[in-house]
Amino acid sequence: MTGAGRPGSAGRETMGNNPYTQQILVPHGAAHFPLAAPGPTRRYAFLLVPDFTILAFSSAIDTLRIANQLSQRPLYQWTVYSANGAPVASSSGVCVVVDGAMEEVGRDVALFVCAGNDIDAPCAPGIVAAVARHHRFGGMVGGLCTGALALARAGLLSSGRFTLHWENQPAFVERFPHLQPTPHQFEVDDRVITCGGGAAATDMILSMIARDHGAAFATAVAAKYSADLHVEIGVVLGRGPDGEDEVVGVGATELSRIHPALEHL
């Protein structure tokens, strides 16, 4: 498995020599959802730590990939880092080749720490320093699975909502008794974004796509994950004023605009 910047991937748009803009993956597919005014490319960086959960990581990246594919536009670009530039072993034993060693990224880049079962790994000094520096200079930071531990160690969770994988919440509270994670799948709180493991990363990215490009497009992206398009597909936009999930849905009839094959569902 390779990061975004590796050669040999068809459908990439070359955008100069900057490592954050050099290659943007826009795969071809049968389904298409046109966007009239998509705006500039939004950029993400994923910092992998040892024993990270590959399901959460791949769920986040593949949701961005589907958005690019459906729109046939470079809506999103992602770069994958490790602390030292070496491949990183996931909790399933699969090693991921990254684009390089972690370095400073522009404030327009959302930086996510991807962690997993080893709750000490995201607390490594270099990881904590990277997220603290990025947030201090105005960037958005986030945590997948147990990535919130790095944000907590950096002092970024003291005044807002956050979450992490339910299995690791008791250990988190033992380490940070003054911090209380929520039971939600994900949280978006200003420039801090966190989610639990597995499919929670999909829901988190879908909510961001909905805010960037509208609920109908985000629902179309969600439809690519569904095995049964006869049911309505909902996209969680985030927390409402009452603390409950804001959910929007697009029925199968409306999905016919994505591809003619769906018009009789």
Side-chain angles (χ1 to χ4, degrees), residues 5-203:
R6 296 292 164 181
S9 296
R12 295 189 187 276
E13 296 190 4
T14 300
M15 307 289 287
N17 295 321
N18 189 311
Y20 312 120
T21 61
Q22 187 172 8
Q23 295 181 324
I24 302 177
L25 182 65
V26 184
H28 298 295
H32 182 221
F33 192 113
L35 292 174
T41 299
R42 290 171 169 82
R43 310 189 189 284
Y44 290 79
F46 294 91
L47 177 54
L48 307 184
V49 304
D51 211 32
F52 73 97
T53 304
I54 201 167
L55 179 56
F57 168 63
S58 61
S59 293
I61 281 189
D62 220 36
T63 306
L64 299 174
R65 186 270 304 172
I66 290 172
N68 286 3
Q69 180 174 317
L70 272 179
S71 65
Q72 284 299 289
R73 298 290 189 94
L75 303 181
Y76 299 99
Q77 184 265 349
W78 52 92
T79 309
V80 183
Y81 295 102
S82 66
N84 58 5
V88 185
S90 69
S91 58
S92 60
V94 175
C95 286
V96 173
V97 177
V98 301
D99 294 304
M102 186 62 218
E103 55 190 37
E104 288 190 36
V105 295
R107 60 182 297 176
D108 63 324
V109 178
L111 173 62
F112 284 89
V113 177
C114 306
N117 293 332
D118 184 354
I119 61 175
D120 291 322
C123 296
I127 304 298
V128 174
V131 296
R133 179 176 60 245
H134 190 59
H135 188 269
R136 183 169 63 251
F137 286 105
M140 181 179 292
V141 296
L144 305 185
C145 194
T146 60
L149 282 151
L151 309 185
R153 188 66 72 187
L156 303 179
L157 301 181
S158 59
S159 60
R161 302 184 311 274
F162 69 94
T163 193
L164 69 156
H165 196 291
W166 62 266
E167 182 181 12
N168 304 102
Q169 290 196 10
F172 178 95
V173 173
E174 287 181 3
R175 291 191 175 202
F176 304 98
H178 60 293
L179 299 176
Q180 184 60 53
T182 76
H184 294 118
Q185 292 272 45
F186 69 92
E187 292 287 359
V188 180
D189 193 331
D190 194 21
R191 291 188 291 116
V192 176
I193 306 173
T194 51
C195 71
T202 299
D203 291 339

